[in-house]
Amino acid sequence: MTAPIQDSHPIRLRNSATGELAAFIPRDWRAEPAIPAADRRVGVYLCGPTVYDRAHIGNARPAVVFDVLRRLLALTYPGQVRFVRNFTDVEDKINDRAAERFPDLAPLDAIARVTEETIAWYHEDMAALGVAIPDDEPRATAYVPEMVAMIETLVARGHAYEAEGHVLFDVGSFPGYGALSGRDTEDMIAGARVEVAPYKKHPMDFVLWKPSTETQPGWPSPWGRGRPGWHIECSAMAKALLGTDFDIHGGGSDLLFPHHENERAQSCCADPDHGFAEVWMHNGMIRVDGRKMSKSLGNFFTVHDKRAEMSGDVIRYILLNAHYRDELDWTEDRVEQARAALNRLNRLADRYRRAGMVAPDPLVPHASVLERLRDDLDTHGALAALHALASEAINPAETDIETLRPAVETARWLGFALETAADGDGDDARIDAACARLDAARADRNYAEADRIRAALDAAGLIVQTTKAGTTAERGAGFDRTRLEDLT
């Protein structure tokens, strides 16, 4: 077997802005004059959730996909990656939810109550899916002064105008509008649902600032008390944390237009000598049994819902088991494939721990997996390579340690906790004793007792194997240590 190594192959990424697949070399590595190595940074901005309710499974896909990208970049540029994922914590859906739940609180206090709770839910869900906390998690409400300043610049440069208490971006002032999404402005007017307000100069002009009533959250501004539009939030936060130019901007494909198109337009107009994000990456949407996920179709579910049915590792596996740019169809077949793969990986992790092996720090993935990820973040191909490593290691049960190591350590590098492999309060001894009792019952031809013990092992999520050498049980993806009491 090839040893897990890092090679010199470059990362290649498809840029949504150009449609081209090209080698990714960060800006600081190409800078002239050269930036000292210690000062170089890779800047990544990911559009995060609007926090008014539990994250649905579609919200989880970009978090998981770009978590893998971050791991890949951190391996390639150790200590030099700055990964930012924001929270949109002021928006009309949040305002409505806050007014409904906390009608007696001041508007800003009410939205803070809703968003604090929702952010805590989001952190819990993402942690269960193996998503690491970003380097920065800016909240829009903390960057309103930066938004106001950017809007003032846009007005001063002739790219925005005030009308009836609103400030709008003048799409006609930016010739490059539509280049990111590949759309023609006139076609967009004909095909898109846009708010045609009488105060707009152009139907595609979008809101940068809007007035707030006394019952809505608001901040002082040169245009009166109001609140920011959605698009200006990300532009201001990205600039504040990553600068006027940075390497990668990511999000779901549903954000390509209008959100990212508008972000790019206003950012480039506010700082015309800069280009904002250089590489744009967009993950595909999730369908359920071939249909768009929708509450009206009854196929809408949250991460919290699915965590009640399966481990976070299984959810993570499903979300990565398609190329990140492709749509992902959530089906029962895909769920069972993920469970089977995680059963194998957890069994290997169980052997790894029982052999007294300790994971190195930092972990390094196997070259076969790294090769697939470097080719436009091919997570599906990476899982196929991981599957090959696991298949080689799973049989026989007495696996050679150096065959075992690549599969387990690569899976953990990919973000799979394999936490079911941890021993707790003598669980190993309890499992081994149950297997010994099962063998004794079979030897005594007490098949009813043997079946009872085996059923208890199965119910605890253990993978049971009986050979001439006796019975063994290894932790699978559905291991539940609370069920071990049933083994007595």
Side-chain angles (χ1 to χ4, degrees):
M1 173 178 290
T2 304
I5 59 171
Q6 296 186 59
D7 56 37
S8 59
H9 296 168
I11 297 171
R12 299 194 308 154
L13 299 174
R14 182 184 183 276
N15 189 345
S16 298
T18 64
E20 296 178 354
L21 183 66
F24 172 70
I25 303 174
R27 297 178 58 86
D28 284 1
W29 275 253
R30 308 192 320 266
E32 292 293 344
I35 296 174
D39 297 332
R40 296 174 186 173
R41 293 291 179 269
V42 182
V44 184
Y45 186 92
L46 173 64
C47 281
T50 299
V51 283
Y52 67 97
D53 206 344
R54 288 195 179 274
H56 59 72
I57 205 71
N59 300 138
R61 193 179 188 198
V64 169
V65 163
F66 286 93
D67 179 72
V68 174
L69 176 66
R70 180 192 187 184
R71 292 167 190 265
L72 177 63
L73 293 173
L75 183 71
T76 310
Y77 306 97
Q80 295 174 299
V81 178
R82 187 171 187 182
F83 184 81
V84 180
R85 185 188 66 213
N86 77 291
F87 288 117
T88 295
D89 64 343
V90 56
E91 196 262 353
D92 288 347
K93 290 180 181 178
I94 299 172
N95 302 343
D96 294 343
R97 182 65 54 88
E100 176 187 331
R101 291 187 58 193
F102 306 107
D104 298 330
L105 294 181
L108 285 175
D109 293 335
I111 66 168
R113 289 282 292 275
V114 169
T115 58
E116 285 292 338
E117 177 182 54
T118 308
I119 287 170
W121 289 342
Y122 184 82
H123 280 150
E124 180 184 339
D125 284 338
M126 294 307 105
L129 270 55
V131 176
I133 295 290
D135 299 303
D136 299 278
E137 287 188 297
R139 303 186 187 191
T141 52
Y143 289 82
V144 174
E146 288 84 352
M147 297 171 204
V148 170
M150 183 175 282
I151 296 169
E152 288 183 299
T153 299
L154 289 167
V155 172
R157 292 184 179 277
H159 293 292
Y161 59 92
E162 183 180 3
E164 298 186 19
H166 296 72
V167 183
L168 297 107
F169 182 83
D170 184 355
V171 166
S173 72
F174 181 51
Y177 191 80
L180 175 61
S181 57
R183 302 186 183 202
D184 177 83
T185 305
E186 296 307 315
D187 290 341
M188 286 189 272
I189 296 171
R193 294 180 180 179
V194 295
E195 181 186 358
V196 182
Y199 49 77
K200 286 187 176 185
K201 290 182 180 179
H202 189 287
M204 295 303 297
D205 291 353
F206 56 89
V207 172
L208 302 172
W209 189 263
K210 51 190 170 183
S212 293
T213 67
E214 289 303 314
T215 61
Q216 294 173 321
W219 290 262
S221 82
W223 317 285
R225 182 177 178 275
R227 61 198 191 279
W230 175 34
H231 312 303
I232 198 70
E233 295 179 0
C234 283
S235 285
M237 288 185 281
K239 179 179 178 179
L241 295 170
L242 296 175
T244 49
D245 298 286
F246 57 94
D247 295 293
I248 298 173
H249 195 313
S253 59
D254 57 326
L255 300 182
L256 178 58
F257 182 84
H259 184 50
H260 288 168
E261 189 72 69
N262 293 351
E263 262 193 86
R264 174 180 174 272
Q266 65 202 6
S267 296
C268 290
C269 288
D271 294 284
D273 296 329
H274 300 271
F276 196 50
E278 186 167 276
V279 176
W280 292 81
M281 298 176 65
H282 294 91
N283 64 272
M285 295 294 96
I286 290 182
R287 302 178 73 83
V288 179
D289 293 322
R291 299 189 299 174
K292 181 179 179 180
M293 189 168 65
S294 166
K295 289 182 179 179
S296 63
L297 293 175
N299 64 355
F300 178 93
F301 47 82
T302 68
V303 177
H304 185 259
D305 295 334
K306 288 301 170 186
R307 285 178 56 206
E309 301 174 14
M310 62 192 71
S311 72
D313 273 0
V314 171
I315 299 172
R316 185 180 181 92
Y317 195 99
I318 295 167
L319 295 177
L320 293 176
N321 198 18
H323 195 286
Y324 83 93
R325 289 191 283 106
D326 294 339
E327 283 193 344
L328 188 154
D329 195 12
W330 185 289
T331 65
E332 277 306 308
D333 283 347
R334 197 177 288 270
V335 171
E336 291 310 310
Q337 289 170 13
R339 282 196 172 114
L342 266 301
N343 273 340
R344 179 181 288 112
L345 289 168
N346 275 281
R347 291 172 62 193
L348 295 176
D350 215 0
R351 298 177 196 175
Y352 181 99
R353 178 186 51 75
R354 283 186 179 238
M357 299 171 71
V358 178
D361 185 16
L363 288 163
V364 178
H366 192 271
S368 61
V369 170
L370 193 56
E371 179 183 5
R372 299 313 312 151
L373 293 178
R374 283 178 167 160
D375 185 13
D376 196 25
L377 200 66
D378 181 7
T379 56
H380 175 71
L383 291 185
L386 177 62
H387 175 78
L389 294 174
S391 295
E392 184 172 349
I394 196 69
N395 290 311
E398 296 296 328
T399 307
D400 176 74
I401 286 177
E402 291 312 310
T403 303
L404 186 63
R405 185 183 297 280
V408 175
E409 293 178 4
T410 298
R412 286 183 171 157
W413 181 86
L414 278 167
F416 296 106
L418 305 185
E419 57 192 355
T420 56
D423 188 26
D425 299 327
D427 291 347
D428 283 349
R430 186 177 298 180
I431 293 167
D432 292 344
C435 291
R437 290 198 304 276
L438 189 154
D439 288 337
R442 292 180 71 246
D444 292 341
R445 298 189 177 182
N446 187 350
Y447 299 119
E449 176 63 5
D451 289 345
R452 184 194 71 79
I453 297 171
R454 188 181 186 97
L457 291 168
D458 290 339
L462 293 156
I463 309 301
V464 183
Q465 289 186 305
T466 299
T467 65
K468 292 180 179 179
T471 300
T472 60
E474 297 171 325
R475 294 157 172 80
F479 175 65
D480 180 359
R481 71 178 306 270
T482 65
R483 301 296 300 270
L484 293 184
E485 295 178 1
D486 299 337
L487 299 181
T488 57

